[in-house]
Amino acid sequence: MPSIETQLPTPGTNRHIAVIPCRWGASRFPGKPIADLAGKPLLWHVYQRCLQATTLTHTFVATDDRRIAAVCEAHGIPWIMTGRHPTGTDRVAECAERLDADAYINVQGDEPFIDPAAIDAVSTALASLPPGVLAVNACSQLSDPATVQDHNVVKVVTGNDHRALMFSRLPIPYPKGDRPTYLRQLGLYGFTPEGLRIFRTLRQGSLERAEGVEMLRFLEHSHPVQMVLTHDSGTAVDTPDDLERAEAQLLSQR
């Protein structure tokens, strides 16, 4: 196992750490983080994308499962064992108590095509947050009507200040008048240390539990979330069928 102590960031400015939270028991796809994608585990592809980002100091996988840890060890990926948590951000918050940094970026372990430039965009936004803002979330524009209707794809609506107003798995806003622009929330969240400390103290609200969208915890407790628009396609792996499509996409890029 790569030593956590030898992987810790050295003192300096803009120490931004990416944490890839991975759990075994996804209801739609158990063992998803280590599912084979073109000869490598799914989480390996996400880790490689993080390595391509230019603003990160270090990247770790955070898990509570020994099977995932063993795969990380076999592929030379630094990992941290955590307790059990209701969301990936809760897991990242535990890591933040053990890894000193200026900012932490939650890169979900089921997005093997996450754009390194999107990671850098979140990191850059974290370095110059408006007063009172503790979190940044990347998003991208949706153009495919089927994706807009897909409940696996979380949509977000924003205000003129580019802060999130609401996240939902439903297609929001409803097109009663003008034809709206739909935005997809990416599995790419950035936090200040204080933001993660606050997140862990907040209880899950009814909206977060209903939608299964962890960033709603901040909105329900009146903490703003700054959205950053990127050009990332947001292709995530939620089901075994998604994994097959991801493999075809990956092979077509070679």
Side-chain angles (χ1 to χ4, degrees):
M1 176 187 72
S3 168
I4 291 175
E5 288 72 23
T6 60
Q7 294 289 330
L8 290 176
T10 55
T13 59
N14 293 333
R15 293 169 296 158
H16 290 191
I17 293 177
V19 180
I20 306 170
C22 294
R23 65 188 181 96
W24 184 272
S27 59
R28 289 168 293 179
F29 196 167
K32 178 172 64 174
I34 62 173
D36 183 87
L37 175 58
K40 297 287 187 181
L42 179 60
L43 62 82
W44 180 89
H45 294 274
V46 181
Y47 179 71
Q48 297 303 311
R49 294 284 179 158
C50 291
L51 293 182
Q52 294 171 34
T54 62
T55 55
L56 298 178
T57 307
H58 287 85
T59 300
F60 298 87
V61 167
T63 186
D64 59 7
D65 193 282
R66 291 290 177 185
R67 291 165 291 188
I68 294 174
V71 169
C72 289
E73 186 170 340
H75 289 83
I77 300 172
W79 58 275
I80 300 173
M81 185 63 67
T82 71
R84 295 188 179 277
H85 293 288
T87 73
T89 298
D90 289 290
R91 196 179 306 281
V92 173
E94 179 186 337
C95 294
E97 296 177 352
R98 299 156 62 181
L99 302 173
D100 182 36
D102 299 303
Y104 303 86
I105 300 177
N106 177 343
V107 184
Q108 292 192 12
D110 59 3
E111 299 215 16
F113 302 103
I114 194 75
D115 187 354
I119 298 173
D120 287 334
V122 169
S123 180
T124 299
L126 282 167
S128 57
L129 286 178
V133 178
L134 304 173
V136 175
N137 194 172
C139 62
S140 62
Q141 189 168 330
L142 285 172
S143 57
D144 177 22
T147 306
V148 172
Q149 296 291 333
D150 188 348
H151 70 272
N152 290 317
V153 176
V154 177
K155 276 67 69 174
V156 59
V157 290
T158 64
N160 291 332
D161 56 3
H162 305 294
R163 295 182 184 180
L165 298 175
M166 179 59 184
F167 299 93
S168 180
R169 296 181 182 278
L170 291 174
I172 55 173
Y174 181 80
K176 185 176 185 297
D178 292 341
R179 181 177 179 179
T181 296
Y182 291 98
L183 297 175
R184 174 182 192 149
Q185 178 215 36
L186 300 180
L188 182 58
Y189 322 133
F191 303 90
T192 65
E194 180 64 14
L196 284 176
R197 283 193 290 270
I198 290 174
F199 188 89
R200 287 201 77 181
T201 66
L202 301 175
R203 291 186 177 183
Q204 286 184 308
S206 59
L207 288 178
E208 181 188 354
R209 292 194 301 270
E211 291 273 6
V213 179
E214 60 211 73
M215 294 305 284
L216 280 169
R217 192 179 312 180
F218 269 143
L219 298 191
E220 288 189 83
H221 292 276
S222 301
H223 293 288
V225 176
Q226 191 73 40
M227 301 304 299
V228 175
L229 184 63
T230 73
H231 297 292
D232 191 280
S233 66
T235 304
V237 174
D238 294 303
T239 67
D241 287 342
D242 291 338
L243 186 68
E244 291 184 10
R245 286 190 288 269
E247 176 133 2
Q249 180 177 340
L250 192 63
L251 294 176
S252 70
Q253 295 173 354
R254 292 180 175 177

